[in-house]
Amino acid sequence: MINLPEARVTVQAIGHEREPVVIIDNFTGQPERLRAMGEGAHYYPAGVDYPGRRAPADPSYLDLRRDLMMQVMARVFGLTRGVQCEVAAFSIVSLAPGQLSPRQRIPHHDHSDAGRVAIMHYLDGPESGGTAFYRHRRTGFEAITPDREAAYAAALEEDEREFGPPPAGYPTQSERFEQIGAVEARVDRLALYRGRQLHSGIIPDPQALSEDPAKGRLTVNMFLFGS
């Protein structure tokens, strides 16, 4: 039986729309084991959205805190009828700023469905950055719900007409987006938030990025869904 350290849970309400962000510190008590698994995994290019590489991860370790996770899902996110893991992957941000596509240069949302919750499990410390949350200045949107998708897409086109293409580089506060909150990376820290929130990874030193999981910015990314 694993002796778990005491978990520290913090709930923040971000921005004007008060979307919740849950932070759980000391989640597993065994981050070295997770990192070793990540370093031994087989990675592949992550596709058009994620600026790096990914490898499959086993989400079953969430059961170490099953009762706590179910409480968070129900009390914070309103998911009371069961929760399933949709995606679980070791992830390494690795693209140089000049390699980013235009869509990777601005904050993004993962899904507009309120029943989908993103998980970031940080395996590195504050030097690796964290996750920032944003408000789109033109619309004032902080979360992209289904009824906002068309207006948001049109507003992004207006942004490009006014400001031109986003400059090469990882997303930061700009004339397009205002940062409204952030979670600092800490070893064995879990951050949970609805995927509809506009967010982006914080990349303090792009020159330090690497495709080598032993050196790079290694996280476990998951998506849970429920109702």
Side-chain angles (χ1 to χ4, degrees):
M1 184 174 181
I2 296 173
N3 292 319
L4 290 173
E6 183 178 357
R8 296 196 305 272
V9 182
T10 306
V11 182
Q12 302 177 359
I14 300 292
H16 298 324
E17 296 177 357
R18 313 304 288 168
E19 283 278 352
V21 174
V22 180
I23 299 169
I24 306 176
D25 285 305
N26 302 326
F27 188 80
T28 68
Q30 46 186 319
E32 300 86 359
R33 176 175 171 270
L34 276 176
R35 174 165 275 286
M37 293 170 63
E39 290 177 5
H42 178 68
Y43 288 82
Y44 54 87
V48 297
D49 291 319
Y50 189 79
R53 302 175 70 80
R54 282 188 161 151
D58 182 354
S60 64
Y61 72 85
L62 294 180
D63 285 340
L64 291 169
R65 302 280 190 187
R66 181 173 181 81
D67 290 346
L68 174 58
M69 291 293 289
M70 296 308 294
Q71 289 178 30
V72 167
M73 290 297 108
R75 296 179 184 177
V76 179
F77 298 106
L79 305 181
T80 59
R81 299 182 182 178
V83 179
Q84 300 180 53
C85 184
E86 191 172 37
V87 176
F90 290 105
S91 303
I92 307 171
V93 174
S94 59
L95 293 187
Q99 295 177 298
L100 298 172
S101 68
R103 65 192 290 174
Q104 292 170 332
R105 300 173 187 176
I106 62 173
H108 66 281
H109 68 292
D110 303 309
H111 201 286
S112 61
D113 183 356
R116 278 174 166 76
V117 175
I119 293 179
M120 283 286 292
H121 192 173
Y122 305 102
L123 300 179
D124 295 311
E127 73 284 350
S128 67
T131 304
F133 299 90
Y134 291 90
R135 176 184 303 119
H136 183 237
R137 294 185 190 273
R138 189 178 298 274
T139 59
F141 295 162
E142 299 169 2
I144 307 304
T145 56
D147 62 321
R148 291 177 170 182
E149 288 182 312
Y152 181 61
L156 289 180
E157 292 179 0
E158 289 183 41
D159 285 345
E160 183 146 357
R161 284 193 291 270
E162 180 174 352
F163 305 120
Y170 282 91
T172 59
Q173 181 162 284
S174 67
E175 68 276 2
R176 293 171 166 84
F177 292 90
E178 175 186 0
Q179 184 175 324
I180 57 173
V183 177
E184 181 182 68
R186 292 186 187 174
V187 175
D188 208 21
R189 166 176 278 184
L190 215 70
L192 303 94
Y193 50 89
R194 289 193 178 98
R196 68 187 185 183
Q197 290 180 251
L198 289 168
H199 63 281
S200 182
I202 299 171
I203 310 298
D205 183 8
Q207 302 304 314
L209 296 175
S210 171
E211 290 188 354
D212 182 350
K215 301 176 182 177
R217 183 185 187 272
L218 182 62
T219 60
V220 184
N221 294 39
M222 304 185 215
F223 292 101
L224 306 181
F225 71 95
S227 61

